[in-house]
Amino acid sequence: MKSILSFIFLILFTTSVVSQVSKTVELSAPGTLSSILTSTEKATITNLTLRGNIDARDIKCLRDEVIELTVLDISSTTIKSYSGTLGTNPSVVSYPANELPQYSFCTPTAIAKNKLTDVVFPNSITSIGNHAFYKCEGLLSAVIPNSVVSIGDYAFQFCISNKSITLGTGLQSIGAQCLYKSGIKVIHSLSNVPPSLGALALGQNYISIVYVPAASVNAYKSASGWSELPVAINQLVSINNTTAGTLAANIATSGYQL
């Protein structure tokens, strides 16, 4: 019986390993990803690394054609501007440079790329468009680069598996319902100035902690939308508690709050 179970486990493990298909693609001209990938690659690639220049047409290819995509690394790409109707939203004809386009991984008809679990962003992007990851239920976490100034409306709404997000130092605004009902538990905000929050930007979540820079705790605790959340600093604190029963007082004396 043990040998049979071991054999079954081996088959399952082997199948799991084989199912991971990785590829790295260098794009010198934006808008060419669809023509570079073969039909077999589009149907089987799970882990894809892109380098070079991309635009909204390439993001649309990732969303609609690379069916099994799970892990995407575009950290070594530059997002170029694009004018035309072949981008991520057929009703839009102009996409700015250095923006992850609107509807990047969810169609305008709300068909999301639910197999996508991880995305590594370029450090050159300055914004994330509206509905970029709307209803991407498989997304596990997000690390927003320091270069990003704004995140659009509904960008991560209903990403129910997304347990944590790191907001970069340059972030100034988070759009309406951006993280609404996203399943978010932990927020790491690296900006010294609390980003402005659109309507219900963090709504309907059970956020357990918001880590902020030590010098900015009071700013977050008084900022609209942040003040009702549990704000703390993410650093190791050492307290010398020599007398039993005095820990709370010693923490306060050291300049920290419980």
Side-chain angles (χ1 to χ4, degrees):
M1 184 66 176
K2 182 178 179 181
S3 61
I4 293 175
L5 291 174
S6 298
F7 179 71
I8 292 173
F9 175 78
L10 179 61
I11 293 176
L12 292 174
F13 179 77
T14 303
T15 303
S16 176
V17 171
V18 171
S19 67
Q20 298 296 312
V21 178
S22 300
K23 187 175 179 64
T24 298
V25 177
E26 183 85 30
L27 294 174
S28 56
T32 58
L33 180 62
S34 183
S35 61
I36 290 175
L37 296 178
T38 67
S39 58
T40 299
E41 288 172 331
K42 291 176 182 177
T44 58
I45 289 175
T46 58
N47 296 47
L48 180 62
T49 299
L50 295 183
R51 296 172 180 166
N53 299 308
I54 63 175
D55 65 21
R57 293 169 294 178
D58 301 304
I59 299 297
K60 183 178 184 294
C61 172
L62 294 171
R63 184 191 71 194
D64 299 343
E65 300 180 56
V66 189
I67 300 170
E68 300 295 328
L69 185 62
T70 302
V71 178
L72 175 64
D73 184 347
I74 53 174
S75 59
S76 297
T77 66
T78 299
I79 299 178
K80 299 293 187 179
S81 63
Y82 169 66
S83 296
T85 59
L86 300 178
T88 52
N89 187 349
S91 64
V92 171
V93 295
S94 181
Y95 297 84
N98 298 319
E99 177 178 272
L100 191 71
Q102 56 179 279
Y103 293 103
S104 285
F105 298 103
C106 180
T107 69
T109 57
I111 300 175
K113 201 163 191 67
N114 287 327
K115 293 183 180 180
L116 189 66
T117 61
D118 297 277
V119 176
V120 185
F121 300 102
N123 288 323
S124 57
I125 63 171
T126 56
S127 59
I128 295 175
N130 296 345
H131 297 90
F133 295 93
Y134 180 75
K135 296 183 75 172
C136 287
E137 297 180 354
L139 194 68
L140 298 177
S141 63
V143 178
I144 309 302
N146 293 333
S147 56
V148 172
V149 174
S150 64
I151 304 176
D153 299 343
Y154 317 104
F156 293 94
Q157 185 176 19
F158 300 133
C159 293
I160 58 176
S161 298
N162 187 6
K163 302 307 180 187
S164 68
I165 188 168
T166 298
L167 307 174
T169 58
L171 188 62
Q172 297 178 12
S173 66
I174 300 174
Q177 298 191 44
C178 176
L179 287 158
Y180 184 83
K181 287 188 177 180
S182 64
I184 202 78
K185 302 293 185 185
V186 179
I187 297 176
H188 295 261
S189 185
L190 306 181
S191 175
N192 289 318
V193 178
S196 64
L197 299 175
L200 296 173
L202 307 176
Q204 296 295 307
N205 291 301
Y206 297 97
I207 299 172
S208 59
I209 196 76
V210 178
Y211 292 116
V212 304
S216 303
V217 170
N218 290 333
Y220 277 84
K221 285 187 174 182
S222 60
S224 177
W226 297 99
S227 58
E228 61 266 28
L229 298 175
V231 175
I233 56 174
N234 188 12
Q235 70 182 62
L236 179 63
V237 175
S238 296
I239 302 293
N240 183 19
N241 196 61
T242 57
T243 304
T246 61
L247 179 58
N250 284 332
I251 291 175
T253 301
S254 300
Y256 300 101
Q257 296 178 340
L258 288 173

